[in-house]
Amino acid sequence: MAQQLAGFNQRYQLEPIEGQSTRTYEGKKWYLKKGNAPLAAPGTSKHNLGIAVDVANAKGHTLEWLVANVKDFGFSWEVVPEEPWHLRYVAGDTIPPKVAEWLVRTAPKPVDGKVLGGK
């Protein structure tokens, strides 16, 4: 949380900046400093909750695969115009079939009756 608060304080200020996006934190309106990317208010990040990822560096075959498959793995392209690389997990507690298939396919296989790494 300290790291997120430090990042937030670097990117936002309480003094109004006309035309800049805002976040509410501790009941106050904070203004995004010019030239900075938006950041969630401390304690509200979907990334920190483990339900969002950024794929800003994806390109070529990797990006094509993501576009074609994210929904099958329980993700959705976040509808945030300034963050088109943002993926959000939307399947809730239901394990998507593609994830279940992958888990079965990649599960450790028994060797001489024992699972490697097991007891």
Side-chain angles (χ1 to χ4, degrees):
M1 180 76 163
Q3 187 177 19
Q4 190 178 14
L5 181 57
F8 186 81
N9 285 328
Q10 286 177 342
R11 295 182 190 193
Y12 287 86
Q13 66 183 44
L14 287 169
E15 297 79 29
I17 304 173
E18 189 170 332
Q20 289 299 98
S21 66
T22 62
R23 295 282 190 265
T24 300
Y25 177 61
E26 294 185 331
K28 299 174 186 166
K29 186 181 276 191
W30 294 75
Y31 295 82
L32 181 65
K33 296 175 185 176
K34 292 183 180 183
N36 286 285
L39 183 69
T44 66
S45 169
K46 290 182 174 89
H47 296 278
N48 288 349
L49 294 173
I51 58 172
V53 294
D54 288 339
V55 293
N57 295 326
K59 57 187 171 222
H61 177 71
T62 302
L63 181 59
E64 291 169 12
W65 186 92
L66 284 168
V67 169
N69 292 283
V70 293
K71 290 180 183 177
D72 292 338
F73 286 86
F75 285 85
S76 172
W77 291 106
E78 190 77 41
V79 183
V80 179
E82 65 272 11
E83 294 186 38
W85 56 82
H86 191 75
L87 295 175
R88 184 171 52 101
Y89 187 73
V90 294
D93 292 336
T94 304
I95 297 174
K98 288 283 188 182
V99 173
E101 290 172 22
W102 180 84
L103 289 170
V104 168
R105 201 171 50 250
T106 60
K109 307 293 185 254
V111 176
D112 294 329
K114 295 183 179 181
V115 175
L116 296 178
K119 295 179 181 180

